[in-house]
Amino acid sequence: MRARRVRGIAAALAAIVVTTLAAACGGDGTNTTTTGGGSTSSAPKEVRLGFFPNITHSTALVGVEKGLFTKALGSGTALKTSTFNAGPAAIEAVFSGAIDATYIGPNPAINAWARSKGQAIKIIAGSASGGVYLVVKPGIKSIEDLKGKKIATPQLGNTQDVALRYLLQEKGLKTTTQGGGDVSIVPQENSQTIQTFATGDIDGAWVPEPFASRLIKESKGEVLIDERDLWPNKQFVITHLIVRQEFAKQHPETVKKLLEAHVEANAQIAADPAGSAQTVNAALEKLTGKPLKADVLDAAFKNITFTNDPIASSLVGSADHAVKVGLLEPVDLNGIYDLKVLNEILTAKGQQGVADK
């Protein structure tokens, strides 16, 4: 009888141990493994990645469409994607915890850093430079000609919105966040801009590719400003990759896998631009329901440089512009970059590392 009681107690204790271990391994939504040194690292069950259905986000589009992110993350972690029209909406998703990482422009990343006092995000890689234009109706030949006109941007406070307001201010033209002033700035979704430009409801738009090329090809728009001409060496960041700091601290190995896929996507774009453009177009068709016309695709893709370099110097310029137009308080950007893992990946591939200044 006593022997049976002892065996029963042992069985109960064993069950408790098994239950406790099971909870530790999977109860918090992660897959936990033990490394050879005895430390543990947790792989999340999913990575929630954001990006825009824009050609300036081709690194993300190629990575998703070609399965590079899924492959790098492995069978234990699923990829969940979300798309956004502009950066401020993506940042709200970051702040709410709805996404873990996102491809985004410089000004929303700066705003996220400032609002969270450097606690919310880190920039972990560059993605694209160039591919942004101020396209206007024929007859508008100078910035001064924009007085009394309506010009669209993707969203109040996004990268193109700040760039337009700053340029107009430099030329002595006033704007307001309510659409008043010498030039009426009308924030609207890029897809809506295609329609309002065609109907004449707006006179121009400061937009990224492929929307700039669509305005030119479909509605006879003309380029008034190529934003590359406003920056040293014609280089400025238009897209980079950011991650939630909390997620990065909890899942550093997963972030490394995300970056490995990111670097591979840019490598494939560089090795096969034409094929990558077709991959991007297939992704855009899935996301928007309609592929780009061949001439638009070709023109837009050629206007962008895809790079792992975040072109950090231009970020400081973007922040300065946002402060000067009253959309940002002065902010210290020291620490916004964490390029250590990216540089480790690049070095292992025999490539030059990138700088955070």
Side-chain angles (χ1 to χ4, degrees):
M1 178 69 110
R2 184 179 178 190
R4 285 197 298 271
R5 188 181 303 115
V6 171
R7 287 196 296 271
I9 292 172
L13 287 172
I16 292 172
V17 170
V18 170
T19 301
T20 302
L21 287 173
C25 289
D28 64 350
T30 63
N31 305 307
T32 305
T33 58
T34 302
T35 64
S39 62
T40 60
S41 62
S42 298
K45 288 188 175 179
E46 66 178 11
V47 171
R48 300 164 301 172
L49 179 67
F51 55 90
F52 305 173
N54 293 354
I55 289 188
T56 52
H57 286 232
S58 288
T59 307
L61 294 169
V62 169
V64 172
E65 187 71 12
K66 293 280 231 176
L68 303 180
F69 292 114
T70 298
K71 181 180 178 181
L73 291 172
S75 59
T77 301
L79 177 70
K80 180 180 179 181
T81 61
S82 298
T83 58
F84 302 90
N85 175 69
I91 289 300
E92 291 308 317
V94 170
F95 279 168
S96 69
I99 57 176
D100 305 307
T102 188
Y103 288 84
I104 201 166
N107 288 95
I110 293 167
N111 288 333
W113 179 262
R115 284 175 56 187
S116 67
K117 302 187 186 307
Q119 300 301 307
I121 61 101
K122 288 278 190 179
I123 299 170
I124 58 174
S127 180
S129 174
V132 182
Y133 299 86
L134 173 55
V135 181
V136 296
K137 293 289 187 182
I140 297 176
K141 302 299 182 183
S142 69
I143 296 299
E144 290 73 20
D145 289 344
L146 296 178
K147 189 171 184 178
K149 302 293 193 292
K150 290 184 179 180
I151 307 297
T153 64
Q155 190 171 357
L156 175 64
N158 97 309
T159 301
Q160 289 78 53
D161 188 76
V162 169
L164 174 59
R165 292 176 191 277
Y166 177 73
L167 181 63
L168 292 173
Q169 180 177 282
E170 288 292 288
K171 295 295 185 179
L173 296 172
K174 296 179 180 179
T175 64
T176 73
T177 55
Q178 292 76 40
D182 296 320
V183 180
S184 177
I185 297 180
V186 186
Q188 58 187 223
E189 290 196 4
N190 292 321
S191 57
Q192 183 181 356
T193 293
I194 297 297
Q195 299 172 357
T196 53
F197 189 78
T199 58
D201 291 321
I202 60 172
D203 302 290
W206 196 302
V207 287
E209 293 289 15
F211 302 98
S213 288
R214 286 191 63 187
L215 294 178
I216 296 166
K217 300 288 186 181
E218 297 173 14
S219 297
K220 297 184 170 134
E222 297 180 352
V223 172
L224 183 61
I225 296 290
D226 178 342
E227 191 172 341
R228 288 176 293 193
D229 295 333
L230 305 179
W231 293 92
N233 302 317
K234 295 183 178 291
Q235 293 183 328
F236 68 100
V237 59
I238 182 57
T239 311
H240 47 208
L241 177 59
I242 68 171
V243 66
R244 284 194 301 118
Q245 288 191 34
E246 182 182 10
F247 182 83
K249 290 174 183 176
Q250 292 175 343
H251 310 293
E253 287 301 314
T254 301
V255 172
K256 181 178 181 180
K257 292 176 181 178
L258 196 67
L259 281 169
E260 288 172 341
H262 169 94
V263 170
E264 177 59 26
N266 275 341
Q268 291 196 14
I269 292 172
D272 183 14
S276 296
Q278 294 303 320
T279 297
V280 167
N281 209 19
L284 291 175
E285 182 176 13
K286 290 178 182 178
L287 293 169
T288 66
K290 187 177 181 181
L292 295 173
K293 294 179 180 178
D295 58 343
V296 172
L297 177 67
D298 183 59
F301 213 77
K302 289 179 178 178
N303 288 334
I304 305 164
T305 300
F306 299 99
T307 174
N308 297 309
D309 188 345
I311 315 175
S313 60
S314 71
L315 190 76
V316 176
S318 293
D320 179 63
H321 296 170
V323 170
K324 287 182 176 177
V325 299
L327 292 178
L328 179 71
E329 293 296 322
V331 57
D332 182 3
L333 297 178
N334 185 44
I336 193 172
Y337 290 101
D338 185 354
L339 305 175
K340 180 181 178 182
V341 176
L342 172 64
N343 281 328
E344 288 174 351
I345 294 170
L346 294 175
T347 299
K349 292 179 174 291
Q351 300 178 28
Q352 186 174 354
V354 298
D356 59 2
K357 293 183 191 308

